Amino acid sequence: MEGSAARPRTRIQTEKREAILEAALDVFSAHGYRGSTIDQIAAAAGMSKPNLLYYFRRKDDIYKALIQRLLDTWLAPLRELDDDGDPITELRSYIRRKLEMARDFPRESRLFANEILQGAPRILPMLEGELKSLVDEKVLVMKGWIRAGKIARTDPWHLIFAIWATTQHYADFDAQVRAVLGPDRGGDGRFEDAARFLEGLFIEGLRPKR
Amino acid sequence: MEGSAARPRTRIQTEKREAILEAALDVFSAHGYRGSTIDQIAAAAGMSKPNLLYYFRRKDDIYKALIQRLLDTWLAPLRELDDDGDPITELRSYIRRKLEMARDFPRESRLFANEILQGAPRILPMLEGELKSLVDEKVLVMKGWIRAGKIARTDPWHLIFAIWATTQHYADFDAQVRAVLGPDRGGDGRFEDAARFLEGLFIEGLRPKR
DNA sequence: CTAACCTTTGTCCATTCGGTCAAAAATGCG
DNA sequence: CGCATTTTTGACCGAATGGACAAAGGTTAG
């Protein structure tokens, strides 16, 4: 359903399209869709604007291709949540994986955050489709864990939201995190600190033992 | 430091400036700074563009005035965190207040989110100044609670981040929350569910009792 | 080598956008 | 009322932006 004929993709096309998407990730994640210009992306990709438009005919096409390509990567951590593993361990691992994503792929995180902030105008179908299905599936897994008494009785949907929120916060709100922590605590160690904290929070909560 | 002479503010000026800021909150929070146009704001405020520019001479002036006016409101919940109260109760209340803000002032939440996502170019000084001071102060309060054994040994900075992240998530990522919950669970009850969930999470964690 | 195809570029265009300006309309005050 | 001040508007401008296009420059297969 993308043009009437198949696309034969030459070597150059593959390479250039890749370079454009990489540049577009940089630009879109930093300035949002409306805040980014084709010229910026072209410059970042090391080519002229008309040349870029030869590979993607519209600005919107770049954006869509980018999001399409990223969605799988983005959902991978949740997909790995294993029904058969030990529940507490599985959740711990999921939180760790998500936090690593925030650390290693902040541009991807910000791209999605930007899109959703504006009401997800271009990806709402994906959220209601792929994403919802995946979440529904994992919610069932968690409900099983609750029934088995392996984790506390809690709301699986909101648990997933809480994990998303707390981990992605370190990518999306990085500027604020750094500003508040200051130069000393805001260095590279902040992800270690966050990992330790989140583990304690999600597993044990704040009430003091004894 | 804003013009050499004081501004006498007539009645009409007060009213119109108010209307403009209200309209600007609507527009800026929905589309971000670059994504919003003066025409949109003027239309939303029910006046012509040149007329709007009579009250705020630049687009940036509107934005700055808006943020300035909102910052106090935004930080109020944290300010209320009371050193002398019962720690668990205080934290519970803080979470509830923040969640109410996400429910009742989603535009304000999205405005700040948008700004910080782009690296907080226009409000970084405020984050490093007012916000950091307030956080530093409350961190000391929490450290006192920890020393007194009233809450678990945890990282107060990241605790604050976690509360911000989980509560604001329901405003900033509303589109995603609704998409994932679907029409039935995504209705008005979602804030009640979130409140119950977050209380359980922060206080008790996920490990099952017994 | 050469013809067919792919890639790149300079130029151009219409629209949008932030902002100006002078003149008209409304308001308020003595 | 009459005059000064404030408010509103229509017309306009330059810069930026998304995109079109045809011509020029490369690449590759026969």
Side-chain angles (χ1 to χ4, degrees), chain B residues 115-130:
Chain B
E115 172 70 13
I116 295 169
L117 247 187
Q118 327 251 316
R122 309 162 216 272
I123 64 165
L124 202 58
M126 298 188 206
L127 300 187
E128 290 168 337
E130 283 184 67

Side-chain angles (χ1 to χ4, degrees), chain A residues 10 13 16 50-51 54-55:
Chain A
T10 69
Q13 268 177 29
K16 291 295 171 78
N51 196 8
Y54 169 73
Y55 293 101

Side-chain angles (χ1 to χ4, degrees), chain B residues 2-8:
Chain B
E2 118 165 346
S4 44
R7 59 266 154 97

